[in-house]
Amino acid sequence: MFYEPRNGHGLPHDPFKAIVAPRPIGWISTRRPDGGPNLAPYSFFNAFSSNPHLVWFSSEGEKDSASIARQTGEFAVNLVSLALAGKMNETAIDAPPGIDEFELAGLTPAPCRFISCPRVAEAPAVLECKVTEVLEPHDLQGNHAGVFVVTGEVVGVHIDDAMLTDGLFDVTKAQNLARLGYMDYAAVTETFAMRRPRWKEG
């Protein structure tokens, strides 16, 4: 089949998010200006640079995490493992502003080193980030898409020592969780390696 998104797809559910998958989950923690913690998952999340380490998460509508990160200039990305799937889902609730999702989901807030917002103590790894810019993308007609892309530079990394194998972060131990389409998720339970080919002259 082929369809133009502007004309609809004719399927029971939009396949777009299932096609662009799997997507790592950005479990974003921030601290509101009044001091209260905030925690929410974002499936439009990824890294896009290794030097410097840059990540972004995208909020459809300026939800609390994006708004707070813009105001305070910082956020933390907490890695969601398979073991934390249920807790992550609890923090996705459409709670009113001011609700402490750490408390709601029974998670332990822990201090970060270089930023003031809390991190999830149970997370296998955490990226401390400082905001570099907030983008507001537009569609082909030049209209604001209603999306807020928060980019940040990683200034600190926490790793649970139990997740290391021979000095390497072991994603099969952490069982990184990813978002698929619809209400589906996947966890990394096995990996395989491929070396990048090198061009040989002559």
Side-chain angles (χ1 to χ4, degrees), residues 31-105:
R31 185 179 296 283
R32 296 189 297 272
D34 66 6
N38 184 75
L39 178 65
Y42 288 81
S43 70
F44 286 136
F45 161 78
N46 221 312
F48 63 93
S49 171
S50 61
N51 185 25
H53 293 345
L54 294 172
V55 298
W56 61 260
F57 71 94
S58 178
S59 176
E60 294 186 301
E62 194 170 18
K63 299 184 177 77
D64 285 350
S65 299
S67 176
I68 296 168
R70 186 200 288 269
Q71 293 177 66
T72 63
E74 55 188 30
F75 62 93
V77 180
N78 304 273
L79 179 63
V80 182
S81 62
L82 180 58
L84 291 171
K87 300 286 189 183
M88 176 277 296
N89 196 45
E90 288 182 54
T91 66
I93 192 170
D94 56 345
I99 295 298
D100 182 346
E101 289 86 2
F102 281 87
E103 183 177 355
L104 184 69

Side-chain angles (χ1 to χ4, degrees), residues 8-187:
H9 45 74
L11 299 171
H13 299 284
D14 187 352
F16 173 71
K17 292 181 181 179
I19 294 169
V20 186
R23 300 185 306 280
I25 299 168
W27 204 10
I28 307 299
S29 56
T30 52
R31 185 179 296 283
R32 296 189 297 272
D34 66 6
N38 184 75
L39 178 65
Y42 288 81
S43 70
F44 286 136
F45 161 78
N46 221 312
F48 63 93
S49 171
S50 61
N51 185 25
H53 293 345
L54 294 172
V55 298
W56 61 260
F57 71 94
S58 178
S59 176
E60 294 186 301
E62 194 170 18
K63 299 184 177 77
D64 285 350
S65 299
S67 176
I68 296 168
R70 186 200 288 269
Q71 293 177 66
T72 63
E74 55 188 30
F75 62 93
V77 180
N78 304 273
L79 179 63
V80 182
S81 62
L82 180 58
L84 291 171
K87 300 286 189 183
M88 176 277 296
N89 196 45
E90 288 182 54
T91 66
I93 192 170
D94 56 345
I99 295 298
D100 182 346
E101 289 86 2
F102 281 87
E103 183 177 355
L104 184 69
L107 293 162
T108 309
C112 284
R113 189 74 61 89
F114 297 127
I115 59 177
S116 65
C117 59
R119 59 186 173 90
V120 175
E122 294 84 355
V126 180
L127 309 177
E128 296 187 14
C129 304
K130 292 192 176 181
V131 175
T132 57
E133 58 188 316
V134 179
L135 307 175
E136 299 184 23
H138 294 77
D139 63 17
L140 287 172
Q141 287 70 47
N143 301 312
H144 180 231
V147 173
F148 298 84
V149 180
V150 181
T151 67
E153 182 171 344
V154 179
V155 296
V157 180
H158 300 261
I159 299 175
D160 181 345
D161 289 342
M163 298 298 120
L164 296 175
T165 300
D166 298 327
L168 303 176
F169 185 81
D170 192 333
V171 296
T172 60
K173 283 183 177 178
Q175 295 188 308
N176 298 29
L177 202 68
R179 184 69 190 271
L180 305 177
Y182 319 115
M183 295 295 107
D184 302 326
Y185 293 83

Side-chain angles (χ1 to χ4, degrees), residues 176-199:
N176 298 29
L177 202 68
R179 184 69 190 271
L180 305 177
Y182 319 115
M183 295 295 107
D184 302 326
Y185 293 83
V188 178
T189 56
E190 60 181 270
T191 64
F192 65 92
M194 288 194 297
R195 291 199 175 274
R196 179 179 174 181
R198 298 285 184 179
W199 184 263

